[in-house]
Amino acid sequence: MFKNTAMKKTFIFVVVLVMLVAVLLTACDGNKKFTPVEMPEKGEVEGNGGVAVKYGDWIYYVNGYQSSVSAENTYVNVEARAGAIARIKVADLEALFAVHEETITSSEKTKKIASLVKEKAQIVVPNFYHSGNTAEVGLNGIFIFDDRLYITTPNTELTAGGNAQTNQLVLTSYKLDGSDPQQHFTFTNNAAKIMLSKVGEKLYATYVMDGAVHSLDVLAKTDKEIVKSITGDKFDIYGNAVFYLDENGSICKFAAGASENEVIVENVKLEGHDKAHITYTIKSVNDGYVYYTKKDSTDSSLDDINLFYATNAENKDKIVLATTAPSASFGWKDKLVYTVKDPEHTSPSLYGIFVTTDDINNPKVILDPIQNSTEITFNRIEGDILYYTASSVAYYVNLASETIAPVAYAKSLASASNWYQPDVLGEYVFTVSAGTITVVKFDKAKEINSSSVTLTIVAEEKED
């Protein structure tokens, strides 16, 4: 190849010099590219959309709340980072709780648990998770689909003027070992409400941002604005859709993966009028049903008197309740589930849970008031499952079951705070705060939190 020996030596020298410079630059660079962990075995997914997701033998979780969206957010090896995605095996999590059974002091237990977390838990994704809107369960959190982990993280790209764009979120995915980061889409407002869902073989992000409904084909990276100028949006997680009012005040629905929205209850203007005389208000949504009230500007006596439901444009204006609905209520199929104070018990006040029947004066009793002495708080409804809180204990109940039996699953779940909801995975309750994630194990029989552990991976303290 080389006829000139001097040229050949010069070429070899240049190659060696380039390799040497590369090695020196790598050695001097403290921010090395992230080294993936071990790929997990195939497993079932449980708990998508919260701060923790179970995948087979592993639990992937947010390593505490990252309060500063402008914090360092690089894809490099980090010992610890608030908001990064970590993981731990379920068996190792059980070992942490087992420490509470040992006959050692409280401070020794804390130290041992911290040591085990350092040994067993792993940072899987160094970029940190963040969202300005995760008050609704099932929206915006971390997700696993097809062996990839999806998160939203602040946009680290700078503008031409060198300013950070931390008011934006980038939907990013990684293999479950933390490798192969892929950026799919940038949301220009970090308060976007995002529902990720698998429809057939495609992954969609159905989202509401800046008063518009969008549909994003995640892998194809194609974004489509479905309708603009909407209000009153409510996500039907169980039904995989979002309901809202369009600019005409009509009740509309957009199902994940659909090509266009569907007008469920059209708001029609009277002839000679600039706007419709009916005002609709969406009260709740569930499993393809939308529950609403309406006011008539031409007849105030009809204001909010009836609660209606609709499932499509042909099946609408069906009366659920021919009277004003209790404030604490959810629509359930063609009925209403609600909680009210028992008028016969005033000291103390007793509350029960009821479902409407054809006889308005004889509702079905889900929970007898005599069993409670405090106000009941409805949390959400998904399909047939109602979630509620009574005396600081969280319960769920299957409304469709022949034998109604509320099941306690957590205690002292906080309300949505700042950006997250406490997340329940089986017997574990995950609570995130600034820089910290705590797991509580719930004792169903005693309805108490039996013990808790801190799962936060923290940097090792360096001595002066």
Side-chain angles (χ1 to χ4, degrees):
M1 178 179 177
F2 292 98
K3 294 182 179 180
N4 188 313
T5 305
M7 183 182 294
K8 181 177 181 180
K9 289 181 178 179
T10 301
F11 177 79
I12 294 173
F13 174 75
V14 171
V15 171
V16 171
L17 182 61
V18 170
M19 292 177 65
L20 179 61
V21 171
V23 170
L24 288 173
L25 287 174
T26 302
C28 295
D29 184 10
N31 291 335
K32 295 180 181 179
K33 184 178 178 181
F34 178 70
T35 303
V37 295
E38 184 180 355
M39 194 72 178
E41 293 183 2
K42 289 277 186 179
E44 295 294 321
V45 178
E46 179 185 344
N48 265 339
V51 297
V53 181
K54 186 174 181 290
Y55 181 85
D57 296 331
W58 293 87
I59 292 177
Y60 288 73
Y61 62 92
V62 180
N63 193 46
Y65 169 43
Q66 174 54 263
S67 58
S68 174
V69 291
S70 59
E72 184 183 28
N73 189 22
T74 50
Y75 184 73
V76 298
N77 281 329
V78 289
E79 183 182 1
R81 175 178 286 164
I85 307 302
R87 73 177 185 181
I88 190 169
K89 282 190 172 181
V90 177
D92 291 331
L93 180 55
E94 277 297 305
L96 299 183
F97 280 101
V99 173
H100 287 288
E101 305 301 321
E102 298 182 17
T103 54
I104 55 178
T105 66
S106 178
S107 61
E108 288 173 330
K109 290 178 182 179
T110 301
K111 289 180 180 179
K112 186 168 183 178
I113 289 172
S115 177
L116 285 172
V117 169
K118 183 178 178 63
E119 177 187 349
K120 302 296 185 181
Q122 303 170 319
I123 294 289
V124 181
V125 172
N127 297 120
F128 66 81
Y129 162 80
H130 187 79
S131 171
N133 193 329
T134 55
E136 297 179 52
V137 175
L139 296 183
N140 291 66
I142 63 176
F143 295 81
I144 293 177
F145 291 105
D146 297 327
D147 303 332
R148 291 189 70 87
L149 175 75
Y150 291 80
I151 69 170
T152 52
T153 187
N155 190 357
T156 57
E157 292 188 7
L158 302 178
T159 64
N163 298 317
Q165 302 182 85
T166 53
N167 63 321
Q168 300 182 350
L169 291 177
V170 180
L171 178 61
T172 309
S173 72
Y174 311 77
K175 288 184 179 179
L176 293 181
D177 60 357
S179 68
D180 189 32
Q182 295 182 15
Q183 294 188 346
H184 301 284
F185 187 74
T186 299
F187 299 95
T188 56
N189 185 331
N190 66 15
K193 298 179 182 179
I194 308 164
M195 179 178 70
L196 285 182
S197 47
K198 193 84 179 290
V199 180
E201 295 302 313
K202 290 190 174 183
L203 179 62
Y204 289 95
T206 305
Y207 68 98
V208 173
M209 185 176 71
D210 300 328
V213 178
H214 290 252
S215 178
L216 169 69
D217 183 328
V218 175
L219 300 183
K221 299 184 179 180
T222 55
D223 179 58
K224 180 181 180 181
E225 183 180 76
I226 302 301
V227 62
K228 60 178 61 177
S229 302
I230 65 106
T231 57
D233 54 282
K234 291 185 183 296
F235 279 83
D236 178 7
I237 302 297
Y238 192 84
N240 214 17
V242 58
F243 290 86
Y244 49 87
L245 301 174
D246 67 10
E247 58 184 359
N248 298 318
S250 298
I251 299 176
C252 301
K253 169 188 176 181
F254 179 73
S259 57
E260 58 185 19
N261 74 317
E262 177 185 357
V263 178
I264 304 295
V265 184
E266 186 177 8
N267 204 352
V268 182
K269 299 176 185 177
L270 292 176
E271 187 176 349
H273 289 71
D274 294 333
K275 60 181 181 179
H277 66 289
I278 299 292
T279 300
Y280 292 104
T281 300
I282 298 175
K283 291 296 186 178
S284 64
V285 297
N286 180 42
D287 196 15
Y289 288 74
V290 56
Y291 306 88
Y292 57 96
T293 57
K294 54 184 177 180
K295 290 185 178 182
D296 188 337
S297 63
T298 65
D299 188 353
S300 60
S301 66
L302 301 178
D303 286 358
D304 292 340
I305 297 301
N306 296 326
L307 179 69
F308 302 90
Y309 79 83
T311 55
N312 54 50
E314 288 71 42
N315 191 31
K316 62 183 180 181
D317 282 352
K318 303 289 185 179
I319 294 181
V320 180
L321 192 65
T323 183
T324 303
S327 57
S329 61
F330 286 128
W332 175 56
K333 298 182 178 179
D334 59 349
K335 301 176 177 62
L336 185 77
V337 56
Y338 61 96
T339 177
V340 291
K341 184 191 299 184
D342 187 340
E344 296 182 5
H345 297 84
T346 57
S347 183
S349 296
L350 300 180
Y351 293 79
I353 298 177
F354 309 89
V355 168
T356 55
T357 62
D358 294 336
D359 182 356
I360 188 65
N361 297 313
N362 188 29
K364 179 180 179 180
V365 178
I366 301 298
L367 189 67
D368 196 301
I370 205 67
Q371 298 175 257
N372 293 277
S373 60
T374 184
E375 187 171 359
I376 294 170
T377 301
F378 277 9
N379 300 323
R380 68 186 192 278
I381 188 169
E382 294 180 3
D384 296 326
I385 309 301
L386 171 70
Y387 297 85
Y388 69 94
T389 303
S391 301
S392 298
V393 176
Y395 298 86
Y396 68 82
V397 60
N398 186 344
L399 301 174
S401 176
E402 293 184 6
T403 304
I404 301 297
V407 178
Y409 67 93
K411 186 175 176 66
S412 299
L413 283 180
S415 301
S417 174
N418 195 18
W419 69 282
Y420 79 98
Q421 285 268 13
D423 202 5
V424 180
L425 275 179
E427 61 184 325
Y428 306 117
V429 182
F430 295 78
T431 303
V432 175
S433 56
T436 303
I437 180 165
T438 302
V439 187
V440 171
K441 200 170 184 180
F442 181 72
D443 187 328
K444 290 184 179 180
K446 298 180 180 178
E447 296 190 353
I448 61 171
N449 296 331
S450 58
S451 55
S452 67
V453 297
T454 299
L455 268 187
T456 320
I457 299 176
V458 298
E460 187 174 353
E461 295 183 7
K462 295 182 173 62
E463 296 182 1
D464 295 334

